[in-house]
Amino acid sequence: MPPAADGNNLAIAPATVNTDAGGSKLRRACRIAQRWPSSPRAVADDALAQAISDLLPVLICGEASAEQAFGRAVQSLSARLPAAMTQALRSIEDDERRHGRVLGQLCETLPPPRSQRPARAAARFVRQIQQRDPARHLANIAALDAALCRVLSGVCQPGRPLARNPALLAVFDGIRRDEARHVRISRRTAMHLGLGTDVLRHARMTVGEAFAALLLPQAAAFAALGIDETELRQRLKASAGVAGSTDVDDGIEPEAIAS
């Protein structure tokens, strides 16, 4: 079993084989196109703007790692993957670049974060989830994206501060919907490459617990987005759990994949 890139204990358990990748759903997923604002407007609410600035490093820490993971998968595994699956991975690369562009524009409208510690912690976390084996890296990325979807589904709920700003809601709910699709594609690709459901569950638990440790110190900033510490803990605990969890619980609704 390949170790994690920096030798920590987030390496995933041995694989079993499951080769049913759901290619038809992947082809439908490739046709999804999200609408994004061309340039997010400045955030008028100072407290909300500061909270978003403080949280961005931990909420989007997986973007660069994901782009790298999907790029590596396309380059090294395309001969082993159906054409539809390769196309889906390329579409995720495009999504991640788009996320980076839009979030970069958003950052220009925000105050600086109050501390650099979350960014440093996020960088350590990203190193933890990296794997030399592209399939195992995809499993970890899927676990991270599922946890992120669960958190963003709470942040974007109607009536909460973010939902009262249409431009911000478009950005973060657009990311949530994209990441929901990425979870499905990553899981199916990893399973096509030989990883079993037990491996995906183990990744979900270990990555989910590490992501919780990254986000919980930012509970005060989440409170400004309408999520108190109790709810944040519940969402993160449920995401790291295995028994009884579903894609719907993750904010990954059936409509996230076009029919």
Side-chain angles (χ1 to χ4, degrees):
M1 176 180 67
D6 63 350
N8 66 74
N9 61 358
L10 280 184
I12 300 175
T16 57
V17 175
N18 185 326
T19 58
D20 181 6
S24 62
K25 291 183 179 179
L26 287 173
R27 283 190 288 273
R28 290 198 295 272
C30 289
R31 296 197 295 267
I32 293 178
Q34 296 294 340
R35 293 183 179 178
W36 288 74
S38 59
S39 181
R41 295 191 298 273
V43 184
D45 184 318
D46 291 344
L48 179 61
Q50 188 63 65
I52 294 170
S53 177
D54 293 341
L55 287 174
L56 271 181
V58 295
L59 286 178
I60 64 170
C61 63
E63 296 287 327
S65 182
E67 183 177 345
Q68 177 191 50
F70 293 115
R72 287 175 58 205
V74 169
Q75 291 176 2
S76 63
L77 301 172
S78 57
R80 298 167 54 189
L81 298 176
M85 198 171 283
T86 300
Q87 182 184 357
L89 294 176
R90 289 197 176 103
S91 77
I92 294 177
E93 279 191 278
D94 293 339
D95 286 346
E96 301 297 358
R97 292 190 191 99
R98 178 161 43 88
H99 294 176
R101 173 180 58 79
V102 175
L103 290 168
Q105 293 172 348
L106 175 60
C107 284
E108 293 177 0
T109 75
L110 297 173
R114 285 174 288 196
S115 171
Q116 293 301 316
R117 282 181 291 182
R120 291 194 291 269
R124 288 193 298 272
F125 171 77
V126 168
R127 290 194 296 271
Q128 284 182 314
I129 67 173
Q130 289 176 344
Q131 298 281 308
R132 295 190 184 96
D133 179 352
R136 295 178 187 275
H137 196 170
L138 290 177
N140 279 4
I141 293 293
L144 170 59
D145 286 348
L148 178 61
C149 284
R150 188 183 291 270
V151 172
L152 289 181
S153 68
V155 168
C156 295
Q157 281 182 0
R160 290 190 165 167
L162 203 68
R164 295 195 288 269
N165 184 311
L168 284 178
L169 183 63
V171 170
F172 286 99
D173 197 48
I175 289 176
R176 182 190 64 80
R177 289 175 178 274
D178 277 350
E179 299 299 347
R181 182 170 61 91
H182 300 176
V183 171
R184 295 183 184 276
I185 294 170
S186 299
R187 287 174 178 169
R188 292 183 183 124
T189 304
M191 293 178 72
H192 179 85
L193 293 168
L195 300 191
T197 55
D198 57 331
V199 179
L200 296 175
R201 289 192 192 100
H202 181 72
R204 181 176 185 141
M205 179 180 66
T206 53
V207 173
E209 289 174 350
F211 193 52
L214 181 65
L215 263 59
L216 284 171
Q218 310 307 317
F222 275 105
L225 301 183
I227 295 185
D228 63 24
E229 185 172 357
T230 298
E231 181 183 351
L232 180 61
R233 287 183 179 277
Q234 289 172 342
R235 286 182 175 276
L236 292 168
K237 181 179 179 180
S239 182
V242 176
S245 61
T246 67
D247 282 346
V248 172
D249 293 335
D250 291 331
I252 306 174
E253 303 94 330
E255 71 220 34
I257 290 188
S259 57

